[in-house]
Amino acid sequence: MARASSLSGFPEWLPAGRVVEQHVLDTLRRTFELHGFAGVETRAVEPLAQLERKGETSKEVYLLRRLQEEREGTGAGDDQLGLHFDLTVPFARYVLENAGRLTFPFKRYQIQKVWRGERPQEGRFREFTQADIDVVGADTLPFHYEAELPLVMAEALAALPIPPVRISVNNRKVAQGFYEAIGLSDVDAALRSIDKLDKIGERAVAQDLQDSAGATEDQARAALELAGISGGDESVAERVRALGPRSDLLDEGLEELARLLRTAGQAAPGTVVADLKIARGLDYYTGSVYETTLVGHEGLGSICSGGRYDSLASDGRRSYPGVGLSIGVTRLLSRILGNEMAEPTRAVPTAVLVAVRDEEHRSTSSRVARALRARGIPADVAPDAAKFGKQIRFADRRGIPFVWFPGEGLADGEVRDIRSGEQVPADAESWRPPEPDLWPRVVAAVEGP
Amino acid sequence: MARASSLSGFPEWLPAGRVVEQHVLDTLRRTFELHGFAGVETRAVEPLAQLERKGETSKEVYLLRRLQEEREGTGAGDDQLGLHFDLTVPFARYVLENAGRLTFPFKRYQIQKVWRGERPQEGRFREFTQADIDVVGADTLPFHYEAELPLVMAEALAALPIPPVRISVNNRKVAQGFYEAIGLSDVDAALRSIDKLDKIGERAVAQDLQDSAGATEDQARAALELAGISGGDESVAERVRALGPRSDLLDEGLEELARLLRTAGQAAPGTVVADLKIARGLDYYTGSVYETTLVGHEGLGSICSGGRYDSLASDGRRSYPGVGLSIGVTRLLSRILGNEMAEPTRAVPTAVLVAVRDEEHRSTSSRVARALRARGIPADVAPDAAKFGKQIRFADRRGIPFVWFPGEGLADGEVRDIRSGEQVPADAESWRPPEPDLWPRVVAAVEGP
């Protein structure tokens, strides 16, 4: 079902794969809308200056240039434009531009393609779809959204044909409050060291904390003790307190973390766990931070990440704090298709192929198809008046479950279930396929290794 | 509802406009799927060489360049890429690449953004959405699809909140057969002259035919007589024959045209008319050609165009003839929103706002919302435990029709219709909003001037 793209990093799917993708997108959208998120789309491009506000990522931007300009050797006629590399930067710009016309807190979802101007290499997507949810407040945003948003994503992901997910959380205030309490003042450097824990191990991180973050041996040991704490209930906070160091910021962070775990434990037991070694994004986020792994596919990395930012956007007069998460849809879909975790019952929407007796009677077949469609039944008419056996094979090759053999009008046809071979009289104005055959469905397979 | 974009040519919509856009896209998709078209998406980029195969349009291509490359001053590392400017070029490439894995005739729809690297100017979109349907055969493709595809579009457009449409058709074989029969050999030049008819008028076109297409005065007069013929029934063919000139190709074209009008007259009376002055695209198309205008908005130009091409793609061994049409969704939507032809019943998906008595009882409100969502009712919880009057105003400002006041559990709440002010006891496990309030709807307004 999946296939190699002809252009590395730009995935495309055959129709069967697209059915699965569309199911994933529809499911996400439905969950987000059930939770009251409004859909927003932003243009694909932003002025380069806007894209460069997040320093490091600017390396991965695709710039746009008009071909004609290039040929004429003229300079860029307007501000240089680049393709957006995520949906957060454009959304922040959208909020600022439309602040006067939006009502806050504003909950939006946004499902769009993004682009990264990477050097082509195996396994790196240069075009992919993200599905984001964010809640943005004007000047203030209550904490409870930090507990609720990961649960929206948990619900959305649980509705997909994938293994269970685990959402790991941490809180910037916990790390910062703890580090400051032990006198480790270069918080960002310490977080960068801790972020290497999975890759280089405890001993190397201890050394790195001393080399890069100016930690003493004791401070490094304490930071590693904090990073070693994880768990799904409020005892996590107790274990941090038991380490000794105290500060107001640490207390605030621990209270938030405990409240998040309590809320999550009620709504989706076992899904959300605290993992205090999570450091990625903590330079940017100011409160809760989230990472999500697919159980049994941890090597895939985080499929849904995000956090709280006290200033998603700011226009001098007001600031707009937000909390949000983003699903890497293409990476997830690529795993679903590559591991055959799910497959569609058919690759075409058609439930009924109306056969054509001879070309003179094509209009009769068209009328039958029209009558079926008018009642919401996807129907197609055979391409030519071949022998009926060939028309049945046409349907069979596409997985179309029913073939309709018209009589003279709408009421005197026969419909054949080509899986069972059973054929019965049918009226195009009343017959319906059984519900599960009406539209293609996506069926979760037994999970592969 | 519409708004000026902050970047000329890159339209964006506020949430209310996006509800209308989503409704348009959903309606198109549903119609296409009811007719058995499979959904396909292609990547946003193509190699420049691929994009340049259609000569003239290459001027409007946006080229991509990695920012890092530009900064390092290195050359393009791989084949130069550009953003696609339509969905036909990428689809032709997709068909060739996947020919062995597709079943023909292959019916696909494709709804995606395209980009044109235009100089920024008023009223020109540089990013817009197209919705295409095509049927592609391997080596052959029966004529009946040329009659059926415009009817699919007619059905899709009739389901949108817009005035009726008129689909005008012509046929390359009619024009070419007629011109050749009267000895006018530069068919393409003659078509280019005829294409100017609406702009410069008959007299100037007669002169242009002589100057540019090498026509005699008599030939120019005959070509203009042909271009003057239009009508919704088969008498069109008779009137062409009455002009005198005959050829096999002309006969074939007239038979096709008559058959198309006959099929259309049965399925959608009054929608499809022949207009023999249509010349645009006839250099590219080889049979039927279509243009669509919105009645009362003819100045908008064609909102849905297409035709038959004997060779959509070819790989040396096989050729892939196709017929298709493309809706300019953004142009249409821009008119819908700009003229307030339609508006959504609300800009957020939420049907029910669950009020919060005090922050200690937020979890009760969350449970109510969860119970409603589990039964497919979009529900949100108030952002904070403000006075109930303020929570009601929060819902009112967003157009959310119902506010839920929870009791101690799920069963003992009250629900208030904030439009009527009526408030009744309700159980979160059984209460439903009336169907029309469940999701936002798009309501067609009385059409503006």
Side-chain angles (χ1 to χ4, degrees), chain B residues 83-134:
Chain B
L83 293 174
H84 58 215
F85 53 79
D86 73 4
L87 302 177
T88 305
V89 169
F91 178 56
R93 192 254 320 145
Y94 180 93
V95 166
L96 280 186
E97 277 181 14
N98 297 297
R101 289 169 284 196
L102 301 173
T103 44
F104 295 95
F106 178 55
K107 299 172 71 172
R108 83 88 174 77
Y109 74 90
Q110 189 168 349
I111 303 177
Q112 281 185 255
K113 291 202 173 131
V114 304
W115 294 267
R116 305 250 165 120
E118 309 256 5
R119 219 179 283 276
Q121 54 182 302
E122 201 51 51
R124 284 287 183 96
F125 290 119
R126 297 193 277 169
E127 173 179 66
F128 55 99
T129 299
Q130 289 195 329
D132 284 26
I133 55 171
D134 286 88

Side-chain angles (χ1 to χ4, degrees), chain A residues 6 12-13 26 29 41 43 52 58 63 65-67 71 93-94 97 107 113 117 144 380 383, chain B residues 6 12-13 26 29 41 52 58 63 65-67 71 93-94 97 107 113 117 144 380 383:
Chain A
S6 65
E12 283 183 343
W13 316 111
D26 287 346
R29 172 182 163 194
E41 274 207 353
R43 63 191 188 220
E52 289 195 302
S58 64
L63 295 178
R65 192 162 161 76
R66 293 172 45 227
L67 175 58
R71 295 236 160 116
R93 192 253 319 146
Y94 179 94
E97 277 182 13
K107 299 172 71 172
K113 291 201 174 131
H144 63 81
D380 200 358
Chain B
S6 64
E12 284 183 342
W13 315 112
D26 287 347
R29 173 182 163 195
E41 274 207 353
E52 289 195 300
S58 65
L63 295 178
R65 192 163 160 75
R66 294 173 44 228
L67 175 59
R71 296 237 159 116
R93 192 254 320 145
Y94 180 93
E97 277 181 14
K107 299 172 71 172
K113 291 202 173 131
H144 64 79
D380 200 0

Side-chain angles (χ1 to χ4, degrees), chain B residues 141-443:
Chain B
L141 185 73
F143 170 79
H144 64 79
Y145 288 116
E146 292 178 53
E148 289 158 11
L149 258 69
L151 294 173
V152 178
M153 282 306 199
E155 193 178 318
L157 291 164
L160 299 182
I162 54 174
V165 300
R166 164 157 302 159
I167 302 181
S168 302
V169 301
N170 195 2
N171 190 305
R172 161 88 192 190
K173 293 172 190 172
V174 171
Q176 182 173 346
F178 187 89
Y179 295 163
E180 287 173 359
I182 61 173
L184 196 51
S185 57
D186 193 346
V187 174
D188 288 346
L191 287 168
R192 278 194 297 275
S193 291
I194 293 293
D195 192 30
K196 300 175 190 163
L197 205 43
D198 283 341
K199 261 189 222 142
I200 64 175
E202 280 207 20
R203 192 170 312 189
V205 167
Q207 193 56 53
D208 196 57
L209 279 164
Q210 294 169 61
D211 296 345
S212 313
T216 64
E217 229 179 288
D218 282 351
Q219 287 169 335
R221 191 181 313 113
L224 281 166
E225 280 175 339
L226 180 73
I229 292 175
S230 66
D233 60 44
E234 300 174 50
S235 72
V236 166
E238 288 319 306
R239 278 184 278 152
V240 175
R241 287 196 185 95
L243 294 179
R246 300 303 273 270
S247 81
D248 287 349
L249 188 63
L250 175 59
D251 277 344
E252 190 183 325
L254 290 174
E255 267 167 46
E256 289 185 354
L257 197 57
R259 188 166 159 203
L260 192 160
L261 292 171
R262 195 162 58 239
T263 303
Q266 286 166 0
T271 304
V272 178
V273 295
D275 186 349
L276 302 196
K277 75 169 184 293
I278 294 180
R280 196 154 15 129
L282 280 194
D283 50 338
Y284 175 60
Y285 295 117
T286 54
S288 304
V289 58
Y290 321 102
E291 294 202 346
T292 310
T293 49
L294 208 53
V295 175
H297 299 259
E298 286 75 8
L300 190 59
S302 178
I303 56 162
C304 175
S305 309
R308 155 95 184 204
Y309 20 64
D310 277 341
S311 187
L312 170 71
S314 169
D315 59 8
R317 286 166 303 134
R318 297 189 103 168
S319 79
Y320 298 89
V323 53
L325 293 98
S326 175
I327 297 179
V329 176
T330 302
R331 188 154 30 149
L332 189 58
L333 183 74
S334 188
R335 180 57 60 106
I336 293 173
L337 297 177
N339 284 34
E340 297 180 349
M341 291 181 189
E343 57 175 19
T345 51
R346 57 186 187 262
V348 293
T350 318
V352 183
L353 179 77
V354 183
V356 176
R357 202 189 319 165
D358 50 48
E359 284 301 330
E360 286 63 49
H361 287 84
R362 174 168 294 279
S363 65
T364 309
S365 300
S366 296
R367 279 182 57 218
V368 169
R370 219 154 45 234
L372 293 170
R373 290 182 203 120
R375 294 187 298 107
I377 301 164
D380 200 0
V381 177
D384 47 46
K387 287 185 179 155
F388 279 165
K390 200 175 160 200
Q391 298 191 44
I392 291 172
R393 279 198 302 281
F394 177 94
D396 198 28
R397 263 205 311 279
R398 286 161 177 77
I400 300 170
F402 297 97
V403 176
W404 189 285
F405 301 98
E408 294 302 316
L410 295 178
D412 57 350
E414 296 204 347
V415 68
R416 179 190 186 98
D417 182 330
I418 63 173
R419 296 156 303 186
S420 66
E422 193 192 8
Q423 187 165 325
V424 296
D427 181 339
E429 296 194 294
S430 61
W431 179 86
R432 291 193 72 79
E435 198 57 36
D437 289 334
L438 186 59
W439 292 100
R441 282 169 304 119
V442 170
V443 184

